Amino acid sequence: MLRHRIPSLCSRQALVRQRIQACDATRATRSHFVALARPPSRACQRQTRSVQTHTSFEPLRPPSPASLGRPQAAREFKRTRRWGRRALIAAAVLGTAYAVDRQAFASGVGRSLRTFGLGLLVALDYKLNFRAEPVLGGTIEDLHRRSAERLFDLLRANGGLYLKIGQAIAMQSAVLPPEFQRMFARMFDDAPQDDWRDVEKVVRQDFGGRGVEDVFGVSFAGDEARGLIERTARASASVAQVHWARLPDGREVAIKLQKPEIAKQVGWDLWAFKVVMRVYTWWFDLPLYSIVPFITERLMLETDFEAEARNSEVMRGLVNSEPSLKGRVYIPKVYPEFTTKRVLVTEWIEGVRLWDKSATAGRWLGGYGNGSPGVRGAQLQFSQADREAARRELRENPMKERLKPERDTWKGRSGKGGLGLSSKEVMTTMVDIFSAQIFKWGVVHCDPHPGNIFIRRLPSGKAELVLIDHGLYVYMSPKFRHQYALFWKSLMTFDNETIAEITEQWGIKAPDLFASATLMRPYEGGDRSTRGHIVDMGSEESRRKTQAQRHYEAQQRMKQGIREILADEDKWPQELIFIGRNMRIVQGNNQFLGSPINRVKIMGNWASRSLFQDTNLPWRERMTNAWRHLLFKTVLFATDVAFYTFKLRQWLGWGGGMEDEVEARMRDMAKDFGVELQHEVFDG
């Protein structure tokens, strides 16, 4: 029976197998058409997998190496990695250099690089466009304007000694294009002051770690037995800032603290200045570099406050030894026990700045027989009420306190009073002191701008002139001082032979032009070479040229004039740079006050008088010079006639004073040399 059922079971299994295969074929066909229309569904996938499980199992095997083909090397990005490493190294080096420069040199290297870059840009601009028809379009005036803006922005951004250099340029900017004059007139704005914590470090470093309270005996809490000091500067300049203080013994002092970054920057700044001037000398073919070492030496000495203290003491002694100046000019006392190379302590001066004409000439309301506070070195009054006010100020405005009392009762209740002094007396005293420095002593204060001159009233009602800031000085040799006095006297007597002889010894090939620059007015004597240039400018051929061509040719003549004045660099007295600066500022101050005095006469009188008062000359020569001085008085009388003629015209409203006329004539002459004088640069 079992034997009969086995065949039927086998046939039944074969039938099932056939049905499954038929079903698979049907599904495969249907799946093919469905796949063409849409993706297979999950159910179909599961069914397919269930059917596939009936097939024989094959384990997963990795592909053979032969089936993968030849191996390929991985991309290493060598160039990207190389430049990435270089960028990281460069960033690390530059970052380290920047940090070292900032900390060790107060950004001196960065400021020098900025100077080189801008100096090269300005030089290229002038090399390409300083011509009648500039290559890049525009005019020569446009060239001057953008160059002035670039240099001004550089000097203000760098600060420090760059500001001092900019102020030196501004003082001489009357011979520069008007675009430079207008821009550099802003160089005298107060420089930003450093934070008290920074300048206090200078005191600690220079006094062996002792603080301000210990060195000067002051207290920030207003202790009765100690002094006071203001942590906010009363004035801030390019190199230093000044703080008021009252010492325990009652002396009021001005503490001049050098800004801490100056000591780190000065070497780099002066080196950059030398390099730029060396390049400009070579590039523009102008003999400029020969005077650079002398200028940098003077600027370097301005950062040495011990040298400034010595200059001040020398001038104080000279003034007190001159009978005609003692009592009219005052030099503040220096306190050497508090003075170092970066800290200078002097007597505090109460007075009126020269530029404040209304306060100088206004009516005196301080009482008969009284003078300004502190005249002739008198101790300034400081009452108990002033101390109480100082304590209150310390509590209410720490770090920004104003402790010094305002001693202005002489202005009256309305506050409109003045010193009651005449501008003639003030300017006479000023010209006397600077003439004595140049012609008699040979010790010259070279920065007499109005901010460095105070005016006070003596009990007698006379003026007292106070001279501060003795950092920039020139010491003339006896030979050069004698030559300069003789040269000045010869200019007034038209002694052309002596003028030619002296200028030849100085290596100057343009005596007329140099004489005009010295007198601050056109020189009428000489060989008339200067006037010959002016006549050429008015010729028919010159008038046929365009304005741009005439302007270019005029500035070319100015360039040639500089070459002729600095013809022999070895002979040229470098002291003339700062002496000329001094005279120009004094002339500007006289004009600012309305030309109240005959400046040329006073200076000529001092020049002639110094020739017979010079103890270094033999007696015979001194007696000869004394006789000539008496004859010279007649020449001075002629200048008085001209002076009072202009004064009469000024009173009648028909024109300006003598200095205004001189300035107008100088402007006319200067225009023909491509220079446009603008006196407002020197106004205050």
Side-chain angles (χ1 to χ4, degrees):
M1 183 175 177
L2 181 61
R3 199 170 40 236
H4 289 290
R5 288 192 178 184
I6 289 175
S8 64
L9 182 61
C10 291
S11 61
R12 198 176 294 168
Q13 289 179 347
L15 182 60
V16 172
R17 192 179 300 113
Q18 290 175 359
R19 289 178 178 175
I20 291 174
Q21 290 175 352
C23 183
D24 288 341
T26 303
R27 287 197 186 98
T29 303
R30 188 181 302 164
S31 299
H32 175 70
F33 289 107
V34 172
L36 294 176
R38 66 176 183 275
S41 63
R42 291 186 178 181
C44 185
Q45 290 174 356
R46 285 195 301 269
Q47 191 173 16
T48 302
R49 283 197 298 270
S50 65
V51 172
Q52 289 174 345
T53 54
H54 293 285
T55 61
S56 59
F57 171 76
E58 292 185 1
L60 179 65
R61 297 195 185 109
S64 63
S67 65
L68 297 176
R70 298 182 60 185
Q72 296 181 356
R75 294 187 63 184
E76 298 182 2
F77 300 98
K78 292 183 178 180
R79 180 176 299 178
T80 303
R81 292 166 61 187
R82 183 169 60 250
W83 283 105
R85 284 196 302 270
R86 291 176 180 176
L88 289 174
I89 294 172
V93 171
L94 291 175
T96 303
Y98 174 80
V100 171
D101 177 39
R102 187 176 178 84
Q103 296 298 322
F105 305 114
S107 301
V109 178
R111 296 157 79 239
S112 299
L113 292 176
R114 191 184 305 134
T115 302
F116 295 151
L118 189 132
L120 181 61
L121 176 62
V122 171
L124 284 172
D125 200 359
Y126 270 96
K127 202 70 174 177
L128 289 173
N129 297 301
F130 187 66
R131 57 195 71 202
E133 300 294 335
V135 174
L136 300 180
T139 62
I140 293 180
E141 289 83 355
D142 295 331
L143 170 64
H144 290 327
R145 186 179 303 106
R146 61 176 175 265
S147 298
E149 290 174 354
R150 288 166 177 167
L151 289 175
F152 177 82
D153 291 341
L154 171 72
L155 296 174
R156 293 293 292 185
N158 281 353
L161 278 185
Y162 283 87
L163 285 178
K164 184 67 68 175
I165 294 172
Q167 291 169 2
I169 295 173
M171 281 299 180
Q172 302 296 340
S173 66
V175 298
L176 294 176
E179 293 78 14
F180 281 86
Q181 297 177 30
R182 286 189 289 269
M183 185 62 65
F184 279 82
R186 295 156 49 196
M187 289 303 302
F188 295 99
D189 296 342
D190 274 355
Q193 61 177 274
D194 283 11
D195 186 80
W196 169 255
R197 297 177 184 84
D198 295 328
V199 295
E200 186 184 20
K201 295 177 183 177
V202 173
V203 176
R204 292 186 178 277
Q205 293 168 359
D206 283 21
F207 286 91
R210 297 163 60 199
V212 170
E213 294 173 286
D214 187 20
V215 172
F216 300 112
V218 298
S219 169
F220 295 123
D223 294 347
E224 186 72 29
R226 300 179 70 83
L228 301 167
I229 188 172
E230 291 182 347
R231 286 170 283 195
T232 301
R234 285 277 172 168
S236 179
S238 55
V239 173
Q241 57 192 51
V242 178
H243 296 258
W244 174 89
R246 180 176 176 84
L247 303 181
D249 58 8
R251 291 178 294 174
E252 290 192 19
V253 297
I255 302 178
K256 185 176 181 180
L257 300 175
Q258 188 176 119
K259 296 179 178 179
E261 66 271 14
I262 296 298
K264 301 176 182 178
Q265 295 172 347
V266 61
W268 287 100
D269 291 350
L270 295 180
W271 175 74
F273 176 61
K274 289 180 179 179
V275 171
V276 170
M277 294 305 294
R278 171 74 79 176
V279 172
Y280 277 26
T281 298
W282 166 75
W283 202 327
F284 295 107
D285 191 25
L286 283 172
L288 299 174
Y289 186 76
S290 59
I291 63 178
V292 169
F294 185 76
I295 293 175
T296 55
E297 180 186 359
R298 298 299 102 188
L299 293 175
M300 193 73 174
L301 285 173
E302 276 206 87
T303 65
D304 185 353
F305 291 172
E306 290 179 340
E308 181 175 345
R310 288 192 296 269
N311 293 337
S312 181
E313 288 301 300
V314 168
M315 185 54 57
R316 182 178 174 85
L318 291 172
V319 168
N320 290 336
S321 66
E322 177 60 38
S324 63
L325 293 174
K326 186 177 181 181
R328 298 168 61 205
V329 178
Y330 186 79
I331 308 298
K333 294 188 288 288
V334 174
Y335 301 114
E337 65 270 26
F338 299 120
T339 298
T340 67
K341 285 188 176 295
R342 296 190 295 168
V343 179
L344 177 66
V345 179
T346 66
E347 173 187 357
W348 180 265
I349 297 298
E350 293 280 355
V352 174
R353 301 275 186 175
L354 181 65
W355 58 56
D356 194 346
K357 291 189 285 188
S358 61
T360 302
R363 181 186 173 192
W364 173 254
L365 300 175
Y368 179 78
N370 296 326
S372 301
V375 291
R376 292 179 177 171
Q379 184 166 328
L380 296 168
Q381 298 299 316
F382 194 85
S383 64
Q384 186 62 31
D386 293 330
R387 178 168 287 278
E388 293 299 329
R391 289 175 177 171
R392 185 168 57 254
E393 183 73 9
L394 285 169
R395 290 193 302 269
E396 296 176 357
N397 298 303
M399 302 301 293
K400 295 182 180 180
E401 61 275 339
R402 289 289 183 178
L403 309 179
K404 186 185 77 66
E406 298 298 329
R407 302 179 174 96
D408 54 1
T409 55
W410 51 271
K411 291 184 178 181
R413 294 181 179 179
S414 64
K416 297 180 179 180
L419 298 179
L421 302 173
S422 69
S423 57
K424 179 179 180 180
E425 182 184 1
V426 171
M427 274 309 306
T428 299
T429 303
M430 183 185 302
V431 175
D432 278 341
I433 176 61
F434 291 117
S435 297
Q437 290 179 0
I438 294 171
F439 299 117
K440 186 170 184 178
W441 304 326
V443 181
V444 186
H445 185 300
C446 298
D447 201 13
H449 65 78
N452 286 338
I453 298 172
F454 284 94
I455 309 298
R456 299 194 294 201
R457 179 189 172 98
L458 294 170
S460 62
K462 299 293 184 179
E464 181 185 62
L465 186 146
V466 184
L467 190 60
I468 65 170
D469 194 357
H470 300 265
L472 185 57
Y473 264 57
V474 165
Y475 288 81
M476 305 164 66
S477 67
K479 178 182 177 181
F480 174 62
R481 179 176 55 81
H482 176 79
Q483 285 180 327
Y484 194 74
L486 184 59
F487 175 75
W488 185 272
K489 181 180 177 181
S490 301
L491 291 177
M492 301 188 67
T493 57
F494 298 112
D495 186 356
N496 299 319
E497 184 178 345
T498 302
I499 291 173
E501 180 183 344
I502 293 175
T503 53
E504 184 180 358
Q505 293 177 19
W506 290 348
I508 296 173
K509 293 183 179 179
D512 274 16
L513 188 61
F514 182 70
S516 298
T518 302
L519 285 173
M520 301 296 168
R521 70 180 189 188
Y523 178 59
E524 302 292 343
D527 59 5
R528 302 299 180 98
S529 59
T530 300
R531 188 163 296 278
H533 285 304
I534 298 174
V535 172
D536 291 342
M537 284 293 293
S539 64
E540 184 66 29
E541 180 183 356
S542 177
R543 284 195 293 268
R544 284 198 298 267
K545 297 178 181 179
T546 65
Q547 183 179 359
Q549 290 173 328
R550 290 197 300 270
H551 187 68
Y552 171 70
E553 291 178 359
Q555 296 203 355
Q556 285 292 97
R557 274 192 294 277
M558 181 188 69
K559 186 176 178 180
Q560 181 60 31
I562 294 175
R563 290 198 189 98
E564 291 176 353
I565 290 178
L566 301 176
D568 193 331
E569 302 174 34
D570 296 329
K571 294 182 180 179
W572 200 79
Q574 296 178 336
E575 296 89 344
L576 288 172
I577 305 168
F578 293 101
I579 294 173
R581 167 191 168 99
N582 175 293
M583 288 191 169
R584 176 60 178 167
I585 299 173
V586 172
Q587 186 260 344
N589 290 337
N590 189 30
Q591 187 177 357
F592 174 71
L593 293 179
S595 305
I597 62 166
N598 187 347
R599 173 185 59 88
V600 175
K601 174 192 171 181
I602 296 175
M603 297 191 74
N605 186 52
W606 274 95
S608 179
R609 195 169 65 186
S610 68
L611 292 175
F612 73 84
Q613 292 180 342
D614 190 352
T615 56
N616 295 319
L617 297 177
W619 271 103
R620 178 174 295 181
E621 185 174 352
R622 291 180 63 184
M623 294 304 295
T624 302
N625 290 337
W627 169 248
R628 290 175 177 173
H629 177 67
L630 293 177
L631 298 177
F632 182 66
K633 289 286 189 178
T634 60
V635 177
L636 297 181
F637 176 75
T639 66
D640 268 340
V641 173
F643 172 76
Y644 285 110
T645 300
F646 287 115
K647 202 68 178 175
L648 179 61
R649 292 177 56 192
Q650 189 179 26
W651 287 337
L652 295 175
W654 294 349
M658 187 174 180
E659 293 287 10
D660 298 302
E661 180 67 20
V662 167
E663 187 78 11
R665 296 178 64 190
M666 281 293 290
R667 288 189 185 190
D668 291 339
M669 188 187 79
K671 281 183 179 179
D672 294 311
F673 282 87
V675 179
E676 186 173 341
L677 295 179
Q678 292 188 353
H679 182 266
E680 55 267 24
V681 173
F682 302 95
D683 290 352

